[in-house]
Amino acid sequence: QVKLVESGGGLVQAGGSLRLSCAASGSIFRFNVMRWYRQAPGKQRELVAHITNGGYTYYDDSVKGRFTISRDNAENSVYLQMNRLKPEDTAVYYCNVLVELTNYWGQGAQVTVSS
């Protein structure tokens, strides 16, 4: 089984920054694409960003220019640096990977951005 453990959530004022980490059990070389999703209260879970093993990145328009996804295969981790946070970024953030048709998820990290 694949286990993803998240850390780094918290409470921050608008304009502040947070860095989320997601540590995977074992090597992530086999994970071509790793993703960050988020789910705000009363809303559907949405894709925030993804990164491939080759370093290609994708961002939702709502976070472009503010968030940066990165990965360190040697540390078996993926990160989400979140800058210039807005109240609408408030959500539970989930690390995700699809492995052989099975989705694996982190436990969720609460990010709360106050006005």
Side-chain angles (χ1 to χ4, degrees):
Q1 298 292 321
V2 175
K3 184 177 180 180
L4 304 173
V5 179
E6 301 177 32
S7 62
L11 173 64
V12 66
Q13 289 186 319
S17 297
L18 287 172
R19 190 190 193 213
L20 302 180
S21 297
C22 174
S25 58
S27 176
I28 64 170
F29 282 102
R30 66 190 187 277
F31 304 153
N32 185 44
V33 183
M34 300 196 72
R35 300 173 172 89
W36 285 98
Y37 285 79
R38 68 185 180 187
Q39 187 166 24
K43 300 181 71 175
Q44 296 286 338
R45 188 169 299 186
E46 64 179 1
L47 177 65
V48 176
H50 77 226
I51 185 166
T52 71
N53 220 359
Y56 173 83
T57 57
Y58 163 85
Y59 299 94
D60 183 79
D61 286 343
S62 66
V63 305
K64 280 183 179 177
R66 299 189 298 117
F67 290 13
T68 302
I69 188 171
S70 61
R71 65 192 290 167
D72 186 341
N73 288 353
E75 296 295 328
N76 301 319
S77 297
V78 62
Y79 308 94
L80 186 67
Q81 178 66 46
M82 304 181 292
N83 298 325
R84 304 194 305 280
L85 283 159
K86 304 175 180 179
E88 51 263 44
D89 295 318
T90 295
V92 178
Y93 285 71
Y94 298 92
C95 181
N96 163 267
V97 63
L98 177 65
V99 183
E100 297 181 351
L101 305 181
T102 300
N103 273 297
Y104 295 90
W105 299 90
Q107 80 277 16
Q110 177 68 54
V111 173
T112 302
V113 184
S114 61
S115 300

